[in-house]
Amino acid sequence: MNQLKKLLIIGFVWPEPKSSAAGGRMMQLISIFKENGFEITFASAAQDSDFMVDLAEFGVIKRNIELNSSSFDGFIKELNPDVVLFDRFMIEEQFGWRVIENCPKAIRILDTEDLHCLRTARQKAFKENINFELIDLLSEEVAKREIASILRCDVSLIISEFEMDILKNVFKINETLLFYLPFLVEKMDEEELQKLPSFEERKNFVFIGNFLHEPNWNTVQYLKEAVWPSLKKNFPEAVLEVYGAYPSQKVLQLHQPKNGFFIMGRAEDANEIVKKSRIVLAPIRFGAGLKGKLLEAMQCGTPSATTSIGSEAMHANLPWNGFIEDNPEEFSKKAIALYQDENLWKQAQKNGITIINGCYQKSNYSAQLISVVNSLLIDSESHRLHNFMGNMLQHHAFKSTMYMSKWIEAKNK
């Protein structure tokens, strides 16, 4: 019988799968490692939240840790994990050097969530009203930090094939340091559609998204200002319900029932809401990674209307489960047609199932991920020897990070 392997996940926040796609992604990773016999400890310096998942229910040990504190050194030495997974590059910057110093043999995995530098550069270009070019990433400050973090780790989990291409072709990263891992869901068949609410049983347009995420807030603004006036003019009885965790006052101020525009706040059960809605509207204008809300719509049998950014890397070359449109006038026209045409709507539903089964089946990726991890556990020395850039960055960058952290710790005393 194989000895139980230990995985330490260092979280940016505690997982909230009902609040964000990032929370759902983390629970998918936990599920894969748990199913493959890993003993999992999840540690974070974040404050507990009212909506965080109860990790104990999933057999995961929860530990609170501190930033810039040598108490982490004692904690990780005692735990002595075989594998450490960093939740986003900022966590690797903060704790990576301590992991190397105290558990040098532990395999280090970075879950990027999405490429932060891509999201940041696109947001910057959008606000400055200029066209975004991939070459812009090379001068992005966040890119320098994020790519350094990827190079320092043994392997990084990349959620989007578009981002895989950027890392290999723009940043010239060796693909042995990268592993493509999209959102992972179970296979779905058309019989399952029969169990979902029918076209006639559904009503209203819906948008769902965590408002701590800037692209979501921008999407709702765009819906209100550019899409909804045209849609409402041509379809007076239309209603849009906007759900999302952590809505600010500026979000709540968009609530306008007389115009069919409802700010609903947090969704207790996003799946149930999406299942009862006829169309998901998501005209996303900037961002990165994959859009959890759009995959969720497919699982709920709900067609979606989005943009080229929203659908990026989400459907291979398969027909979208609704439509993709960047022009706001055309977007509103197509949304109305999709809402009213039952045959169009049903075909979009079927397209969603084809995308799920072609791009997101858990069984296609989970065994491969564990195989990569096990290979690294067997022979990490050879893998690291060939990663000279990563070794160099560890040598130089970690010295500065380490001394800065120790200075903060001493100052706090």
Side-chain angles (χ1 to χ4, degrees):
M1 189 173 178
N2 291 335
Q3 185 181 357
L4 202 64
K5 296 184 284 272
K6 293 181 182 178
L7 166 67
L8 169 64
I9 302 173
I10 309 178
F12 181 68
V13 292
W14 300 107
E16 290 187 26
K18 291 186 177 181
S19 298
S20 70
R25 159 78 161 189
M26 181 53 72
M27 296 311 296
Q28 289 167 11
L29 289 173
I30 286 172
S31 169
I32 290 172
F33 281 100
K34 199 71 186 169
E35 288 166 8
N36 284 276
F38 280 78
E39 178 186 281
I40 305 175
T41 300
F42 194 106
S44 179
Q47 294 290 316
D48 286 9
S49 78
D50 294 336
F51 306 104
M52 60 190 277
V53 74
D54 183 357
L55 289 165
E57 286 186 9
F58 297 88
V60 176
I61 301 161
K62 175 180 179 288
R63 289 287 181 267
N64 292 81
I65 54 176
E66 294 179 13
L67 296 173
N68 302 306
S69 171
S70 55
S71 60
F72 179 84
D73 302 343
F75 158 72
I76 196 169
K77 267 185 185 173
E78 185 180 349
L79 181 65
N80 193 26
D82 301 283
V83 181
V84 177
L85 189 149
F86 303 104
D87 173 23
R88 290 166 252 204
F89 80 90
M90 303 82 79
I91 292 299
E92 188 275 339
E93 285 182 328
Q94 178 67 227
F95 292 99
W97 68 270
R98 291 186 183 275
V99 172
I100 288 172
E101 193 173 66
N102 294 287
C103 295
K105 291 186 178 180
I107 301 305
R108 300 183 302 279
I109 302 174
L110 173 64
D111 184 30
T112 56
E113 294 286 358
D114 59 34
L115 274 188
H116 290 62
C117 60
L118 176 61
R119 175 153 42 90
T120 303
R122 279 180 168 163
Q123 185 171 335
K124 183 178 176 183
F126 173 82
K127 290 188 173 178
E128 294 176 2
N129 199 26
I130 57 175
N131 288 329
F132 167 75
E133 303 287 345
L134 286 179
I135 199 166
D136 297 341
L137 291 169
L138 297 175
S139 58
E140 182 62 47
E141 189 67 29
V142 173
K144 295 179 177 70
R145 293 171 56 197
E146 189 165 28
I147 299 306
S149 182
I150 288 170
L151 288 167
R152 286 191 297 259
C153 289
D154 294 309
V155 67
S156 292
L157 309 181
I158 312 301
I159 203 168
S160 153
E161 287 183 310
F162 180 69
E163 294 177 6
M164 284 285 283
D165 287 341
I166 288 173
L167 291 169
K168 288 190 280 189
N169 299 319
V170 177
F171 291 109
K172 311 298 182 187
I173 292 179
N174 191 314
E175 57 186 304
T176 61
L177 298 177
L178 308 172
F179 184 83
Y180 171 58
L181 192 73
F183 290 128
L184 303 175
V185 297
E186 301 298 336
K187 186 178 179 181
M188 196 172 175
D189 57 51
E190 287 193 24
E191 288 179 13
E192 291 180 58
L193 288 182
Q194 311 309 316
K195 301 171 187 175
L196 296 169
S198 66
F199 177 83
E200 296 84 3
E201 291 170 325
R202 297 171 182 245
K203 64 178 183 178
N204 300 339
F205 296 96
V206 70
F207 171 85
I208 294 190
N210 186 325
F211 287 109
L212 295 179
H213 192 53
E214 181 66 23
N216 287 334
W217 159 235
N218 181 270
T219 298
V220 174
Q221 282 181 297
Y222 185 60
L223 275 168
K224 185 72 163 62
E225 295 164 8
V227 174
W228 197 246
S230 171
L231 196 153
K232 190 70 174 170
K233 179 183 175 183
N234 294 298
F235 185 22
E237 58 266 47
V239 170
L240 172 63
E241 295 180 335
V242 176
Y243 289 86
Y246 305 105
S248 64
Q249 192 56 41
K250 61 185 179 181
V251 175
L252 298 173
Q253 284 173 352
L254 297 181
H255 185 64
Q256 198 175 21
K258 287 183 180 178
N259 197 32
F261 201 97
F262 292 82
I263 304 296
M264 309 297 290
R266 174 181 284 274
E268 286 303 316
D269 189 332
N271 263 10
E272 285 306 307
I273 287 162
V274 176
K275 282 176 187 175
K276 292 174 182 176
S277 303
R278 195 173 286 181
I279 309 287
V280 167
L281 297 183
I284 298 161
R285 292 191 286 179
F286 57 84
L290 302 181
K291 312 305 179 288
K293 62 178 71 60
L294 296 177
L295 179 58
E296 180 180 58
M298 296 177 206
Q299 290 178 287
C300 294
T302 310
S304 64
T306 190
T307 55
S308 51
I309 289 285
S311 65
E312 180 180 270
M314 284 206 66
H315 60 120
N317 293 315
L318 299 169
W320 189 249
N321 73 315
F323 67 84
I324 300 163
E325 178 59 61
D326 293 323
N327 179 279
E329 288 289 326
E330 286 300 310
F331 188 97
S332 65
K333 284 179 189 175
K334 290 180 179 177
I336 293 168
L338 187 59
Y339 191 98
Q340 295 178 331
D341 187 330
E342 184 173 358
N343 290 330
L344 194 65
W345 188 89
K346 285 183 174 177
Q347 184 56 54
Q349 256 196 342
K350 291 177 182 178
N351 291 350
I353 287 181
T354 305
I355 293 169
I356 285 172
N357 294 338
C359 304
Y360 300 102
Q361 268 197 70
K362 183 178 176 181
S363 58
N364 291 344
Y365 298 97
S366 53
Q368 196 179 349
L369 171 63
I370 296 302
S371 175
V372 168
V373 173
N374 285 336
S375 294
L376 287 168
L377 284 167
I378 292 167
D379 187 15
S380 61
E381 284 187 25
S382 174
H383 179 80
R384 289 172 177 174
L385 183 65
H386 289 90
N387 181 17
F388 178 77
M389 292 297 290
N391 292 328
M392 183 180 70
L393 285 164
Q394 277 178 29
H395 178 77
H396 292 289
F398 275 4
K399 293 295 182 185
S400 59
T401 309
M402 176 177 70
Y403 288 122
M404 174 59 77
S405 182
K406 288 188 173 183
W407 178 81
I408 292 171
E409 182 180 5
K411 187 172 178 285
N412 288 340
K413 288 178 180 176

